[in-house]
Amino acid sequence: MSDILNSAIAKVQSSRHAFCRFITANDTGKNGSHQAGFYIPKCAALLLFDKPGTKGENKSKLVKVKWQDDFVTDSRFIYYGQGTRNEYRITRFGKNFPFFEEENVGDLLIIAQESDDYYHGFVLQTDQEIDDFFAYFNLSPEMTNQLIDISQPISSEEQVHIRIQEVVSSYTDFPGTIQMAQLARDLYNNIHNITNTEISKNPDLQLLKWIDTEYCLFRGFEEKIYAPIYSKPFANCQELVQFSNAILNRRKSRAGKSLEHHLATIFTAAQLRFEEQVITEDNKKPDFIFPSGEAYHNLSFPTDKLVFLGAKTTCKDRWRQVLNEANRIDVKYLFTLQQGISRNQLQEMKHEHLKLVVPEAYKSFFDKEFQPEIETLGSFITMVKSKQ
């Protein structure tokens, strides 16, 4: 891990309150927004003030924020409650503040409170750092834009909590990734009476619900299986490091693979024809080929009926990896849970004939100019159906 990532994790762990969210085009002003500073949702008001703001009144306080363990800004926390406004913002960063640039769209902003008027701020800029931070606190991208629950309770929904405990109690070790994803889907679907019809009707929402449920379920397995180990002293520092790395590696491995499993279930519910991990040129293995590997390798099969889809939880750095995975198909699609990417990278993706597919709720986090070209999971399924 980088020094910045290690410090961000440590500061969040020791904080009174901590918060994270992806930086969007609105923050950098690239969507025409004239609001200065970072928007903080009302659910995270306790990060800024002891008590939430009162509608009809503005209030503010001056604080110091140390960024990247390097420089300090004399910033202002403000609640706008007058007129039609009802929002919180962090403002006053100085003229040379480095994180309002176009390239910062899609970076992860982290704010941790040390005292009443002293805070730490971090911006994680690579997929690896963001994934490692999420893995450490067992977060999903859907769990951003809110306070970080450092205590990591299993679930706020008692019914889900009870079902998770029932599932976990029947295992002595972690299930495989496919089974873990299936357990989470079954648990959520049974509680909320979700059918294939409902999945097909709103695939974007169902995917995010499954992902959240799986994170909660995985957390339950961790507590059961790891508690007997971490409750006893380690013989030396090396044993502690090895144990910590094993936990983080399992978290990261599961997160990436589970996304593919959930997508496959949605495509099956939508009655799409597809195949996973088809071997293509240079022994590449695309995540999904529609309708099949046989069709891909049959040169008489119409190329315009073939569809490629890669799947990556974050893709700021990794999107280029899919460009040469299926040479017969000119336009590549990439599903991601990334919330915002810089304008320059979106332009480069367009130049490389790569189209993003994101959950419908995440589309507004991208530059307005490029939003019409970004598919939701629902619109992607409709497109594939039209070809089949």
Side-chain angles (χ1 to χ4, degrees):
M1 292 186 183
S2 68
D3 290 342
I4 291 297
L5 175 59
N6 281 331
S7 183
I9 290 172
K11 296 299 192 301
V12 168
Q13 281 184 307
S14 62
S15 67
R16 293 184 182 178
H17 300 287
F19 167 86
C20 71
R21 55 164 286 212
F22 287 100
I23 296 175
T24 69
N26 283 335
D27 296 316
T28 63
K30 304 307 178 185
N31 273 354
S33 171
H34 299 294
Q35 300 295 339
F38 292 113
Y39 168 79
I40 303 296
K42 289 187 281 292
C43 65
L46 289 179
L47 175 77
L48 310 185
F49 300 104
D50 291 337
K51 296 180 180 179
T54 302
K55 191 70 178 75
E57 300 177 0
N58 291 346
K59 72 174 180 177
S60 66
K61 74 175 185 180
L62 300 179
V63 301
K64 292 186 179 295
V65 184
K66 188 169 187 178
W67 296 92
Q68 308 292 83
D69 288 336
D70 180 31
F71 64 96
V72 175
T73 59
D74 293 307
S75 297
R76 183 189 188 202
F77 291 170
I78 185 166
Y79 168 69
Y80 297 99
Q82 294 183 343
T84 59
R85 300 184 70 178
N86 182 19
E87 63 186 58
Y88 297 84
R89 286 188 179 272
I90 304 177
T91 65
R92 294 188 185 177
F93 298 97
K95 294 182 180 179
N96 298 317
F97 188 68
F99 301 120
F100 283 146
E101 301 301 320
E102 171 63 33
E103 293 304 314
N104 296 118
V105 175
D107 290 351
L108 187 70
L109 169 71
I110 301 164
I111 305 291
Q113 182 184 19
E114 180 177 309
S115 64
D116 288 343
D117 56 3
Y118 197 89
Y119 290 71
H120 295 275
F122 298 91
V123 175
L124 303 184
Q125 300 179 293
T126 69
D127 288 332
Q128 188 64 59
E129 287 182 328
I130 294 170
D131 283 354
D132 286 348
F133 183 83
F134 284 168
Y136 193 92
F137 292 103
N138 213 9
L139 300 172
S140 73
E142 177 66 6
M143 293 175 181
T144 60
N145 211 25
Q146 57 187 293
L147 292 177
I148 299 172
D149 190 347
I150 302 168
S151 64
Q152 299 190 41
I154 292 175
S155 174
S156 61
E157 186 177 1
E158 187 60 28
Q159 191 175 3
V160 173
H161 173 80
I162 293 171
R163 286 290 294 118
I164 285 175
Q165 294 306 311
E166 291 174 353
V167 171
V168 170
S169 66
S170 63
Y171 285 81
T172 58
D173 201 355
F174 288 97
T177 54
I178 294 178
Q179 188 180 9
M180 180 77 76
Q182 182 68 57
L183 287 169
R185 288 193 300 272
D186 290 346
L187 193 154
Y188 180 84
N189 292 349
N190 289 338
I191 290 174
H192 298 280
N193 299 315
I194 302 298
T195 63
N196 279 351
T197 300
E198 184 65 29
I199 294 168
S200 298
K201 190 180 300 182
N202 200 340
D204 295 83
L205 176 63
Q206 296 309 319
L207 176 68
L208 295 179
K209 294 297 185 182
W210 289 344
I211 289 172
D212 277 352
T213 302
E214 186 178 348
Y215 271 85
C216 294
L217 180 62
F218 184 76
R219 195 177 300 156
F221 276 105
E222 282 190 326
E223 288 302 314
K224 176 181 179 178
I225 295 167
Y226 290 143
I229 302 175
Y230 66 66
S231 61
K232 299 177 182 179
F234 289 90
N236 52 59
C237 183
Q238 186 60 28
E239 282 191 7
L240 174 60
V241 170
Q242 290 176 346
F243 175 65
S244 299
N245 286 338
I247 293 176
L248 296 179
N249 289 336
R250 183 183 290 275
R251 287 181 175 183
K252 289 187 288 184
S253 175
R254 183 208 57 80
K257 292 176 181 176
S258 73
L259 176 60
E260 297 172 29
H261 300 325
H262 293 316
L263 287 171
T265 299
I266 287 174
F267 297 149
T268 299
Q271 298 182 330
L272 298 182
R273 299 194 304 276
F274 68 95
E275 191 172 343
E276 300 176 68
Q277 303 296 314
V278 171
I279 297 178
T280 60
E281 300 83 3
D282 299 321
N283 210 34
K284 300 290 186 180
K285 294 182 179 180
D287 294 319
F288 298 96
I289 291 288
F290 304 80
S292 67
E294 180 181 357
Y296 181 84
H297 290 291
N298 179 3
L299 298 183
S300 65
F301 188 87
T303 303
D304 63 354
K305 299 295 185 183
L306 295 171
V307 179
F308 165 100
L309 179 71
K312 296 186 181 297
T313 52
T314 57
C315 69
K316 276 198 69 183
D317 307 322
R318 299 173 181 147
W319 64 268
R320 296 178 184 84
Q321 296 173 359
V322 307
L323 295 179
N324 64 348
E325 290 187 349
N327 294 342
R328 278 196 69 191
I329 304 173
D330 290 333
V331 177
K332 307 291 197 301
Y333 289 87
L334 176 61
F335 184 89
T336 183
L337 297 173
Q338 181 85 40
Q339 297 178 29
I341 295 175
S342 73
R343 180 185 178 87
N344 289 342
Q345 292 215 52
L346 290 170
Q347 188 65 52
E348 190 175 348
M349 288 178 181
K350 184 175 181 179
H351 177 74
E352 296 289 350
H353 306 292
L354 183 136
K355 291 190 174 183
L356 286 180
V357 184
V358 304
E360 185 176 14
Y362 292 178
K363 193 169 179 177
S364 62
F365 296 137
F366 292 81
D367 190 287
K368 284 184 177 178
E369 178 184 340
F370 292 89
Q371 287 179 19
E373 302 174 22
I374 296 175
E375 301 284 352
T376 65
L377 186 54
S379 66
F380 173 80
I381 290 171
T382 300
M383 179 273 295
V384 174
K385 278 188 174 181
S386 72
K387 293 177 179 290
Q388 296 189 355

